[in-house]
Amino acid sequence: MSPDDVMIVVITGLLSTACALLGSFLVLRRQALLPDAVSHAVLPGIVLIFLLTGERASLATVLGATAFGVACVAGFDWLRRTGIVGSDAALALVFPALFSMGILLISRFASGAHIDLDSAIFGDVTFAPLRTIEIAGADVPRSLVITGGATLATVLLVTLLWRPLQASTFDPDFAELGGLRGRLVNQVLLVAVAGLAVVAFDSVGAILVITFFVMPASTARLLVRRVGTMLVVAVAVGWLSAFAGQRAAVTFDTSIPGTIGLTAGALFLLALLFAPRKGLLTRRLTRLRQPQ
């Protein structure tokens, strides 16, 4: 493996760690589509920052996109808590409205600007080692710094809120009555998901963000029962997907994000078929072995 190959695996592995930790709670709460919604909702923020500053790939762009991502999850959470509509309907009501706003802003005010949404939303991890910043006299990939910082912040957040996160995931009413501030923890989780998704877009792309939020956590849920073990397994699945997917992409000269996503999907399929207790083939073989 070349140094660039190692750096791509490290960056995607760090991303998988952060996404797997938050994604596990999203999967358990049946909110797995939230990162996909955020990827649509950030468009107005990108366009507005471009209109104000003329820049399309800057810190201001990230902050503007994050603000609209947070607005998306806040609106979703408010609608869900009203009880008027279900979680899936609340999600479907909020993010198309924000995405449509972005389309209207582009068509009305920025139709000739040629905004490069690929760089802001669908970034390619292949070029991540080439985009560097200088730290202490050394050139360091920007994506490594951004993803590493986001991963560290996510690990600290999950560690500090471990008990409230568990309680609010399985019994929100108990968490609130028990003084664990379940509602506040829910909002913190949603904001953290929005921030992580947006920060990672420019570095590695929306494809990998959504993949790592959902696939490793879903795979781990099939394999283990305890939440703590689920998080560890999800992180391991993410790293395995990153390594195996990157090597396969180099071997077959294919898209690295796409191949990593396909690898994660293949690992989920294997777990779906052969998981010790929940695997489809495992349960079928168990029934065949039982005496009639």
Side-chain angles (χ1 to χ4, degrees):
M1 293 178 65
S2 68
D4 286 350
D5 290 336
V6 173
M7 188 57 61
I8 289 173
V9 172
V10 171
I11 291 172
T12 52
L14 288 172
L15 175 65
S16 73
T17 300
C19 290
L21 293 176
L22 298 183
S24 295
F25 291 103
L26 292 180
V27 168
L28 290 172
R29 293 164 181 247
R30 299 185 179 182
Q31 298 175 356
L33 286 179
L34 187 62
D36 186 36
V38 171
S39 70
H40 291 79
V42 299
L43 182 58
I46 296 172
V47 179
L48 286 175
I49 295 300
F50 171 78
L51 294 176
L52 292 174
T53 66
E55 297 181 357
R56 294 169 290 183
S58 64
L59 178 60
T61 303
V62 173
L63 294 177
T66 302
F68 274 85
V70 171
C72 173
V73 298
F76 154 74
D77 188 49
W78 177 78
L79 276 176
R80 180 182 59 85
R81 286 190 288 106
T82 62
I84 298 175
V85 296
S87 295
D88 54 347
L91 205 57
L93 287 169
V94 173
F95 83 77
L98 291 175
F99 185 67
S100 299
M101 182 190 300
I103 296 296
L104 290 175
L105 287 173
I106 290 178
S107 62
R108 180 66 178 84
F109 300 107
S111 58
H114 304 296
I115 294 178
D116 186 6
L117 295 180
D118 287 343
S119 64
I121 300 179
F122 303 106
D124 193 343
V125 71
T126 306
F127 302 104
L130 304 179
R131 299 190 292 263
T132 62
I133 58 176
E134 186 174 337
I135 299 179
D139 290 332
V140 180
R142 184 181 64 182
S143 297
L144 179 63
V145 177
I146 294 174
T147 308
T151 302
L152 178 61
T154 302
V155 171
L156 291 176
L157 177 69
V158 172
T159 302
L160 292 174
L161 300 180
W162 177 244
R163 286 187 60 203
L165 277 173
Q166 286 193 86
S168 61
T169 296
F170 295 104
D171 195 338
D173 294 333
F174 170 78
E176 194 67 28
L177 293 174
L180 296 176
R181 306 297 296 275
R183 183 174 300 176
L184 177 61
V185 170
N186 290 340
Q187 295 172 348
V188 170
L189 175 63
L190 295 178
V191 171
V193 169
L196 177 60
V198 172
V199 166
F201 285 160
D202 183 54
S203 301
V204 297
I207 295 175
L208 281 185
V209 173
I210 298 170
T211 295
F212 281 142
F213 266 118
V214 178
M215 289 292 188
S218 299
T219 303
R221 190 181 184 187
L222 292 172
L223 297 174
V224 297
R225 292 182 177 178
R226 299 178 63 86
V227 178
T229 310
M230 177 180 172
L231 265 61
V232 174
V233 173
V235 170
V237 170
W239 276 90
L240 179 59
S241 301
F243 176 78
Q246 194 277 337
R247 299 316 300 156
V250 171
T251 301
F252 298 105
D253 192 22
T254 58
S255 165
I256 293 178
T259 308
I260 292 177
L262 185 62
T263 303
L267 293 176
F268 171 78
L269 180 60
L270 289 175
L272 181 65
L273 294 175
F274 301 108
R277 290 177 299 273
K278 299 181 180 180
L280 298 179
L281 292 182
T282 302
R283 289 189 295 179
R284 183 172 180 82
L285 290 174
T286 301
R287 287 196 297 266
L288 291 176
R289 290 173 181 172
Q290 292 177 348
Q292 300 297 326

